[in-house]
Amino acid sequence: MSDEIFKDKDSAFDRNLRPKKIDDFIGQDRIKKSLNIFLKATKERQEPLEHVLFHGPPGIGKTTLAHIIGGEMESTVKVTSGPAIERVADLAAILTSLEDRDVLFIDEIHRLNHHIEEILYPAMEEGKIDLVVGKGPSAQVLRLDLPNFTLIGATTKFASLSSPLRDRFGIIYRLNFYEESDIKKIIQRSAEILGIEINQKAINELACRSRFTPRIANRLLKRLRDFAQIENQNKIDEELAKNSLDTLEIDEYGLDDLDRKILGVILEKFSGGPVGINALASAIGEDRVTLEEVYEPYLMQLGFLERTPTGRKVSHKAIEHLKNNRLNF
Ligand SMILES: Nc1ncnc2c1ncn2[C@@H]1O[C@H](COP(=O)(O)OP(=O)(O)O)[C@@H](O)[C@H]1O
Ligand SMILES: [Mg+2]
């Protein structure tokens, strides 16, 4: 088996800042509360947790929660992803390498090929896997028992998961963008871990421009540290935060160049919409999937973009924002 199929492609930076325990995981209280109950109940029954699916935008804590669950269950977490599993044999190799009570984390599970996905159904439901042994007329199906395991899937695109796969998860959570107060706590926590001095006003400024997404907040915090260092400042204050974020062309809503380009293109080239996603993607020169999974959720959350049956439209609020912003698009 190649090592490629077990691959955690998250950066060391993400891993360092990742909370290890459920109590260190900030925000998403509803999820934490029920997850705690399920973990406790299954622990008492000495059973593995049911299969869990996390969905929501990138950088919001799906991978973090998968590892936290593994830790709370005192299990080994094996990590792979939809695109890394190219053949049926890859998935069969992964499943047969599992040990009792392991957690198997499949990131970007919506990208699993349909053929391969079908192997998962009996594995998730009955703990069995059907292997085809031999070729041609003498080929036989061999049914193997798998150890008890918990599958954790993560996806940015819940809608593109097939319903048979969805139905086999006992626990499904949608992670939403964070509350501003929680993002502030996350920045505070990361600053402490990284040994960065930052005052409250600078944290507030950063929180507003972080798209309420922990990964982005952490990334921008690191950029601010670079600016502080070059300016010979040992502390990040409001002025430094504002100026640096302006230099990075991240506006007060946390929008970057591409966000503004999306809105600007709809407004200028398509008279504000509606415009179909394919036409929009080619006008911008970005990949459709990236637009749908990475950019649109936040623009919709802000009320800047609407998805209608005939296409995407910009809102008045977005038009006002573009007008008031000196930053061009
Ligand atoms: N609730 C949280 N509390 C603290 N840090 C978090 C939280 N959620 C995410 N993070 C931070 O954000 C980074 C990205 O989270 P991750 O779980 O990799 O996102 P996803 O898998 O949804 O793309 C992690 O490295 C972690 O440091
Ligand atoms: Mg992830």
Side-chain angles (χ1 to χ4, degrees):
M1 184 193 328
S2 80
D3 286 340
E4 283 294 298
I5 47 181
F6 286 126
K7 203 165 161 191
D8 187 351
K9 58 178 182 42
D10 287 320
S11 66
F13 172 64
D14 268 343
R15 285 196 297 266
N16 284 344
L17 291 178
R18 197 167 271 158
K20 305 274 182 305
K21 296 214 156 310
I22 202 158
D23 290 335
D24 299 331
F25 190 86
I26 295 160
Q28 312 283 356
D29 294 342
R30 216 175 31 80
I31 296 178
K32 275 191 301 196
K33 196 169 163 197
S34 70
L35 198 54
N36 249 330
I37 294 172
F38 300 147
L39 281 166
K40 234 174 143 177
T42 45
K43 226 181 210 170
E44 274 178 23
R45 293 199 301 269
Q46 301 198 321
E47 283 171 9
L49 189 68
E50 275 191 74
H51 306 304
V52 189
L53 180 70
F54 291 116
H55 65 106
I60 207 111
K62 301 180 296 294
T63 302
T64 305
L65 279 173
H67 286 282
I68 287 177
I69 290 176
E72 300 283 339
M73 288 169 62
E74 297 173 27
S75 301
T76 306
V77 181
K78 295 194 167 146
V79 178
T80 184
S81 74
I85 304 174
E86 287 175 359
R87 297 165 309 143
V88 168
D90 292 335
L91 183 60
I94 290 172
L95 291 170
T96 51
S97 78
L98 293 175
E99 285 169 39
D100 213 34
R101 308 183 62 86
D102 274 356
V103 167
L104 174 62
F105 176 53
I106 307 185
D107 206 359
E108 299 182 72
I109 195 164
H110 63 281
R111 291 180 62 188
L112 265 186
N113 172 308
H114 186 65
H115 252 30
I116 301 176
E117 193 182 295
E118 283 178 358
I119 306 282
L120 267 183
Y121 302 160
M124 292 172 78
E125 213 160 35
E126 307 160 64
K128 296 195 192 298
I129 175 175
D130 292 325
L131 294 178
V132 181
V133 185
K135 277 201 173 125
S138 65
Q140 281 186 326
V141 176
L142 196 64
R143 182 153 256 227
L144 289 184
D145 282 328
L146 295 170
N148 272 326
F149 72 102
T150 297
L151 176 70
I152 303 182
T155 178
T156 45
K157 242 192 145 187
F158 186 64
S160 57
L161 231 62
S162 73
S163 66
L165 182 58
R166 250 185 268 173
D167 293 346
R168 284 170 173 80
F169 286 97
I171 304 170
I172 298 182
Y173 288 122
R174 170 174 171 79
L175 277 84
N176 282 315
F177 293 107
Y178 285 68
E179 301 286 330
E180 195 177 318
S181 58
D182 291 329
I183 282 290
K184 288 180 190 166
K185 286 185 206 153
I186 291 172
I187 296 169
Q188 186 84 53
R189 176 182 175 275
S190 300
E192 277 164 25
I193 295 173
L194 297 170
I196 298 175
E197 289 226 41
I198 176 166
N199 74 17
Q200 195 55 50
K201 282 195 168 157
I203 291 181
N204 298 349
E205 190 63 38
L206 178 51
C208 293
R209 302 204 206 187
S210 69
R211 311 166 79 98
F212 307 106
T213 304
R215 180 181 291 134
I216 295 177
N218 287 341
R219 196 186 291 154
L220 292 178
L221 176 65
K222 246 182 111 183
R223 294 287 76 79
L224 294 189
R225 173 172 68 179
D226 293 338
F227 279 97
Q229 187 182 321
I230 295 309
E231 310 258 311
N232 269 327
Q233 253 179 262
N234 55 10
K235 194 167 182 157
I236 299 169
D237 58 19
E238 191 185 11
E239 198 190 342
L240 183 115
K242 273 200 169 129
N243 292 340
S244 313
L245 292 164
D246 284 345
T247 307
L248 294 170
E249 300 202 343
I250 295 181
D251 65 31
E252 72 263 36
Y253 281 101
L255 301 189
D256 63 18
D257 280 356
L258 193 64
D259 294 300
R260 286 188 295 268
K261 191 169 172 188
I262 293 168
L263 299 172
V265 163
I266 301 178
L267 190 61
E268 293 202 323
K269 286 205 176 150
F270 301 99
S271 334
V275 53
I277 184 70
N278 289 324
L280 180 61
S282 73
I284 291 168
E286 241 322 317
D287 157 57
R288 167 188 174 154
V289 177
T290 310
L291 289 188
E292 284 183 321
E293 295 179 23
V294 181
Y295 286 90
E296 288 191 343
Y298 181 63
L299 290 172
M300 289 195 298
Q301 155 96 7
L302 284 179
F304 277 14
L305 185 75
E306 280 173 64
R307 271 188 197 164
T308 71
T310 43
R312 274 64 175 166
K313 277 167 73 175
V314 289
S315 68
H316 286 298
K317 196 176 162 194
I319 297 171
E320 282 306 302
H321 176 65
L322 289 179
K323 264 201 252 163
N324 296 336
N325 239 289
R326 284 172 294 105
L327 302 163
N328 48 7
F329 47 81

mmCIF file of all heavy atoms in Angstrom, residues 49-78:
data_model
loop_
_atom_site.group_PDB
_atom_site.id
_atom_site.type_symbol
_atom_site.label_atom_id
_atom_site.label_comp_id
_atom_site.label_asym_id
_atom_site.label_seq_id
_atom_site.Cartn_x
_atom_site.Cartn_y
_atom_site.Cartn_z
ATOM 1 N N LEU A 49 -17.947 5.085 18.718
ATOM 2 C CA LEU A 49 -18.951 6.079 18.336
ATOM 3 C C LEU A 49 -19.496 5.737 16.952
ATOM 4 O O LEU A 49 -18.805 5.154 16.123
ATOM 5 C CB LEU A 49 -18.264 7.450 18.298
ATOM 6 C CG LEU A 49 -19.135 8.688 18.140
ATOM 7 C CD1 LEU A 49 -19.982 8.909 19.381
ATOM 8 C CD2 LEU A 49 -18.262 9.917 17.894
ATOM 9 N N GLU A 50 -20.754 6.127 16.708
ATOM 10 C CA GLU A 50 -21.322 5.948 15.367
ATOM 11 C C GLU A 50 -20.542 6.777 14.349
ATOM 12 O O GLU A 50 -19.837 7.712 14.721
ATOM 13 C CB GLU A 50 -22.771 6.435 15.375
ATOM 14 C CG GLU A 50 -23.748 5.399 15.846
ATOM 15 C CD GLU A 50 -25.167 5.878 15.569
ATOM 16 O OE1 GLU A 50 -25.592 5.858 14.407
ATOM 17 O OE2 GLU A 50 -25.818 6.284 16.537
ATOM 18 N N HIS A 51 -20.760 6.499 13.083
ATOM 19 C CA HIS A 51 -20.069 7.262 12.043
ATOM 20 C C HIS A 51 -20.547 8.720 12.049
ATOM 21 O O HIS A 51 -21.737 8.977 12.188
ATOM 22 C CB HIS A 51 -20.332 6.637 10.677
ATOM 23 C CG HIS A 51 -19.980 5.178 10.630
ATOM 24 N ND1 HIS A 51 -18.726 4.711 10.958
ATOM 25 C CD2 HIS A 51 -20.730 4.084 10.337
ATOM 26 C CE1 HIS A 51 -18.722 3.389 10.850
ATOM 27 N NE2 HIS A 51 -19.923 2.981 10.483
ATOM 28 N N VAL A 52 -19.584 9.618 11.913
ATOM 29 C CA VAL A 52 -19.891 11.053 12.023
ATOM 30 C C VAL A 52 -19.542 11.784 10.728
ATOM 31 O O VAL A 52 -18.483 11.533 10.138
ATOM 32 C CB VAL A 52 -19.048 11.717 13.146
ATOM 33 C CG1 VAL A 52 -19.510 13.148 13.409
ATOM 34 C CG2 VAL A 52 -19.079 10.907 14.427
ATOM 35 N N LEU A 53 -20.402 12.693 10.335
ATOM 36 C CA LEU A 53 -20.102 13.533 9.172
ATOM 37 C C LEU A 53 -20.100 15.006 9.583
ATOM 38 O O LEU A 53 -21.034 15.486 10.222
ATOM 39 C CB LEU A 53 -21.161 13.318 8.087
ATOM 40 C CG LEU A 53 -20.959 14.137 6.810
ATOM 41 C CD1 LEU A 53 -19.752 13.634 6.025
ATOM 42 C CD2 LEU A 53 -22.199 14.096 5.918
ATOM 43 N N PHE A 54 -19.015 15.701 9.218
ATOM 44 C CA PHE A 54 -18.953 17.146 9.442
ATOM 45 C C PHE A 54 -19.018 17.858 8.100
ATOM 46 O O PHE A 54 -18.280 17.492 7.179
ATOM 47 C CB PHE A 54 -17.628 17.539 10.111
ATOM 48 C CG PHE A 54 -17.499 17.062 11.531
ATOM 49 C CD1 PHE A 54 -16.516 16.146 11.876
ATOM 50 C CD2 PHE A 54 -18.356 17.533 12.515
ATOM 51 C CE1 PHE A 54 -16.391 15.698 13.189
ATOM 52 C CE2 PHE A 54 -18.237 17.086 13.830
ATOM 53 C CZ PHE A 54 -17.254 16.164 14.164
ATOM 54 N N HIS A 55 -19.885 18.842 7.988
ATOM 55 C CA HIS A 55 -19.843 19.635 6.766
ATOM 56 C C HIS A 55 -19.879 21.111 7.082
ATOM 57 O O HIS A 55 -20.371 21.530 8.133
ATOM 58 C CB HIS A 55 -20.942 19.217 5.779
ATOM 59 C CG HIS A 55 -22.348 19.454 6.228
ATOM 60 N ND1 HIS A 55 -23.135 20.451 5.720
ATOM 61 C CD2 HIS A 55 -23.110 18.803 7.135
ATOM 62 C CE1 HIS A 55 -24.322 20.399 6.287
ATOM 63 N NE2 HIS A 55 -24.344 19.416 7.152
ATOM 64 N N GLY A 56 -19.303 21.882 6.172
ATOM 65 C CA GLY A 56 -19.209 23.331 6.380
ATOM 66 C C GLY A 56 -18.030 23.867 5.593
ATOM 67 O O GLY A 56 -17.234 23.091 5.055
ATOM 68 N N PRO A 57 -17.904 25.196 5.542
ATOM 69 C CA PRO A 57 -16.843 25.820 4.737
ATOM 70 C C PRO A 57 -15.435 25.441 5.198
ATOM 71 O O PRO A 57 -15.270 24.926 6.306
ATOM 72 C CB PRO A 57 -17.090 27.316 4.917
ATOM 73 C CG PRO A 57 -18.112 27.479 5.963
ATOM 74 C CD PRO A 57 -18.774 26.174 6.201
ATOM 75 N N PRO A 58 -14.420 25.682 4.362
ATOM 76 C CA PRO A 58 -13.047 25.328 4.728
ATOM 77 C C PRO A 58 -12.554 26.127 5.942
ATOM 78 O O PRO A 58 -12.964 27.276 6.125
ATOM 79 C CB PRO A 58 -12.218 25.709 3.499
ATOM 80 C CG PRO A 58 -13.154 26.104 2.428
ATOM 81 C CD PRO A 58 -14.504 26.300 3.018
ATOM 82 N N GLY A 59 -11.691 25.508 6.738
ATOM 83 C CA GLY A 59 -11.014 26.224 7.815
ATOM 84 C C GLY A 59 -11.845 26.460 9.055
ATOM 85 O O GLY A 59 -11.523 27.289 9.895
ATOM 86 N N ILE A 60 -12.917 25.689 9.199
ATOM 87 C CA ILE A 60 -13.895 25.995 10.237
ATOM 88 C C ILE A 60 -13.810 25.018 11.431
ATOM 89 O O ILE A 60 -14.482 25.186 12.440
ATOM 90 C CB ILE A 60 -15.301 26.012 9.584
ATOM 91 C CG1 ILE A 60 -16.280 26.902 10.322
ATOM 92 C CG2 ILE A 60 -15.852 24.610 9.413
ATOM 93 C CD1 ILE A 60 -16.662 28.104 9.570
ATOM 94 N N GLY A 61 -12.971 23.960 11.292
ATOM 95 C CA GLY A 61 -12.765 23.060 12.433
ATOM 96 C C GLY A 61 -13.173 21.614 12.219
ATOM 97 O O GLY A 61 -13.213 20.843 13.178
ATOM 98 N N LYS A 62 -13.436 21.203 10.995
ATOM 99 C CA LYS A 62 -13.874 19.823 10.744
ATOM 100 C C LYS A 62 -12.773 18.805 11.070
ATOM 101 O O LYS A 62 -13.000 17.847 11.807
ATOM 102 C CB LYS A 62 -14.321 19.650 9.270
ATOM 103 C CG LYS A 62 -15.469 20.569 8.885
ATOM 104 C CD LYS A 62 -15.907 20.391 7.435
ATOM 105 C CE LYS A 62 -14.853 20.762 6.408
ATOM 106 N NZ LYS A 62 -14.521 22.198 6.401
ATOM 107 N N THR A 63 -11.583 19.050 10.533
ATOM 108 C CA THR A 63 -10.467 18.141 10.784
ATOM 109 C C THR A 63 -10.110 18.141 12.273
ATOM 110 O O THR A 63 -9.845 17.099 12.866
ATOM 111 C CB THR A 63 -9.244 18.561 9.945
ATOM 112 O OG1 THR A 63 -9.632 18.563 8.567
ATOM 113 C CG2 THR A 63 -8.074 17.622 10.146
ATOM 114 N N THR A 64 -10.140 19.326 12.860
ATOM 115 C CA THR A 64 -9.835 19.455 14.284
ATOM 116 C C THR A 64 -10.775 18.582 15.111
ATOM 117 O O THR A 64 -10.333 17.837 15.992
ATOM 118 C CB THR A 64 -9.971 20.937 14.713
ATOM 119 O OG1 THR A 64 -9.134 21.720 13.868
ATOM 120 C CG2 THR A 64 -9.591 21.142 16.158
ATOM 121 N N LEU A 65 -12.059 18.663 14.814
ATOM 122 C CA LEU A 65 -13.033 17.871 15.575
ATOM 123 C C LEU A 65 -12.825 16.375 15.365
ATOM 124 O O LEU A 65 -12.983 15.587 16.299
ATOM 125 C CB LEU A 65 -14.460 18.265 15.198
ATOM 126 C CG LEU A 65 -14.991 19.513 15.892
ATOM 127 C CD1 LEU A 65 -16.348 19.909 15.318
ATOM 128 C CD2 LEU A 65 -15.117 19.300 17.413
ATOM 129 N N ALA A 66 -12.463 15.988 14.166
ATOM 130 C CA ALA A 66 -12.229 14.561 13.897
ATOM 131 C C ALA A 66 -11.102 14.041 14.806
ATOM 132 O O ALA A 66 -11.209 12.976 15.419
ATOM 133 C CB ALA A 66 -11.873 14.343 12.427
ATOM 134 N N HIS A 67 -10.027 14.836 14.914
ATOM 135 C CA HIS A 67 -8.912 14.421 15.775
ATOM 136 C C HIS A 67 -9.301 14.466 17.250
ATOM 137 O O HIS A 67 -8.858 13.626 18.030
ATOM 138 C CB HIS A 67 -7.681 15.287 15.507
ATOM 139 C CG HIS A 67 -7.014 14.945 14.201
ATOM 140 N ND1 HIS A 67 -6.201 13.844 14.058
ATOM 141 C CD2 HIS A 67 -7.075 15.529 12.985
ATOM 142 C CE1 HIS A 67 -5.776 13.779 12.805
ATOM 143 N NE2 HIS A 67 -6.296 14.789 12.126
ATOM 144 N N ILE A 68 -10.107 15.446 17.617
ATOM 145 C CA ILE A 68 -10.553 15.523 19.005
ATOM 146 C C ILE A 68 -11.372 14.278 19.367
ATOM 147 O O ILE A 68 -11.182 13.680 20.427
ATOM 148 C CB ILE A 68 -11.372 16.818 19.254
ATOM 149 C CG1 ILE A 68 -10.430 18.022 19.258
ATOM 150 C CG2 ILE A 68 -12.150 16.738 20.571
ATOM 151 C CD1 ILE A 68 -11.128 19.371 19.413
ATOM 152 N N ILE A 69 -12.256 13.877 18.465
ATOM 153 C CA ILE A 69 -13.057 12.674 18.728
ATOM 154 C C ILE A 69 -12.130 11.471 18.915
ATOM 155 O O ILE A 69 -12.288 10.697 19.857
ATOM 156 C CB ILE A 69 -14.051 12.406 17.577
ATOM 157 C CG1 ILE A 69 -15.145 13.474 17.569
ATOM 158 C CG2 ILE A 69 -14.666 11.009 17.682
ATOM 159 C CD1 ILE A 69 -16.122 13.357 16.407
ATOM 160 N N GLY A 70 -11.163 11.345 18.026
ATOM 161 C CA GLY A 70 -10.201 10.243 18.144
ATOM 162 C C GLY A 70 -9.524 10.249 19.499
ATOM 163 O O GLY A 70 -9.404 9.219 20.168
ATOM 164 N N GLY A 71 -9.109 11.448 19.937
ATOM 165 C CA GLY A 71 -8.440 11.578 21.229
ATOM 166 C C GLY A 71 -9.369 11.205 22.373
ATOM 167 O O GLY A 71 -8.975 10.469 23.286
ATOM 168 N N GLU A 72 -10.594 11.701 22.317
ATOM 169 C CA GLU A 72 -11.552 11.415 23.406
ATOM 170 C C GLU A 72 -11.876 9.924 23.453
ATOM 171 O O GLU A 72 -12.154 9.384 24.510
ATOM 172 C CB GLU A 72 -12.839 12.236 23.233
ATOM 173 C CG GLU A 72 -12.639 13.757 23.240
ATOM 174 C CD GLU A 72 -12.419 14.347 24.636
ATOM 175 O OE1 GLU A 72 -12.789 13.697 25.628
ATOM 176 O OE2 GLU A 72 -11.850 15.466 24.731
ATOM 177 N N MET A 73 -11.869 9.270 22.307
ATOM 178 C CA MET A 73 -12.145 7.824 22.276
ATOM 179 C C MET A 73 -10.890 6.999 22.582
ATOM 180 O O MET A 73 -10.940 5.779 22.609
ATOM 181 C CB MET A 73 -12.664 7.403 20.886
ATOM 182 C CG MET A 73 -14.081 7.863 20.571
ATOM 183 S SD MET A 73 -14.484 7.600 18.817
ATOM 184 C CE MET A 73 -14.359 5.817 18.674
ATOM 185 N N GLU A 74 -9.774 7.711 22.742
ATOM 186 C CA GLU A 74 -8.476 7.061 22.927
ATOM 187 C C GLU A 74 -8.198 6.099 21.782
ATOM 188 O O GLU A 74 -7.749 4.974 21.975
ATOM 189 C CB GLU A 74 -8.412 6.361 24.289
ATOM 190 C CG GLU A 74 -8.525 7.364 25.432
ATOM 191 C CD GLU A 74 -8.644 6.699 26.798
ATOM 192 O OE1 GLU A 74 -8.147 5.569 26.944
ATOM 193 O OE2 GLU A 74 -9.239 7.319 27.700
ATOM 194 N N SER A 75 -8.495 6.551 20.589
ATOM 195 C CA SER A 75 -8.331 5.720 19.404
ATOM 196 C C SER A 75 -7.226 6.251 18.510
ATOM 197 O O SER A 75 -6.868 7.417 18.586
ATOM 198 C CB SER A 75 -9.613 5.730 18.575
ATOM 199 O OG SER A 75 -10.686 5.257 19.319
ATOM 200 N N THR A 76 -6.735 5.393 17.655
ATOM 201 C CA THR A 76 -5.807 5.835 16.621
ATOM 202 C C THR A 76 -6.631 6.431 15.486
ATOM 203 O O THR A 76 -7.635 5.858 15.082
ATOM 204 C CB THR A 76 -5.037 4.617 16.077
ATOM 205 O OG1 THR A 76 -4.443 3.954 17.183
ATOM 206 C CG2 THR A 76 -3.986 5.021 15.073
ATOM 207 N N VAL A 77 -6.194 7.591 15.011
ATOM 208 C CA VAL A 77 -6.906 8.202 13.888
ATOM 209 C C VAL A 77 -6.089 7.988 12.612
ATOM 210 O O VAL A 77 -4.927 8.378 12.543
ATOM 211 C CB VAL A 77 -7.110 9.716 14.109
ATOM 212 C CG1 VAL A 77 -7.879 10.330 12.948
ATOM 213 C CG2 VAL A 77 -7.842 9.978 15.419
ATOM 214 N N LYS A 78 -6.693 7.339 11.652
ATOM 215 C CA LYS A 78 -6.035 7.197 10.355
ATOM 216 C C LYS A 78 -6.674 8.186 9.400
ATOM 217 O O LYS A 78 -7.889 8.276 9.318
ATOM 218 C CB LYS A 78 -6.186 5.767 9.856
ATOM 219 C CG LYS A 78 -5.453 4.808 10.781
ATOM 220 C CD LYS A 78 -5.265 3.438 10.192
ATOM 221 C CE LYS A 78 -4.256 2.673 11.040
ATOM 222 N NZ LYS A 78 -4.568 1.237 11.085
#
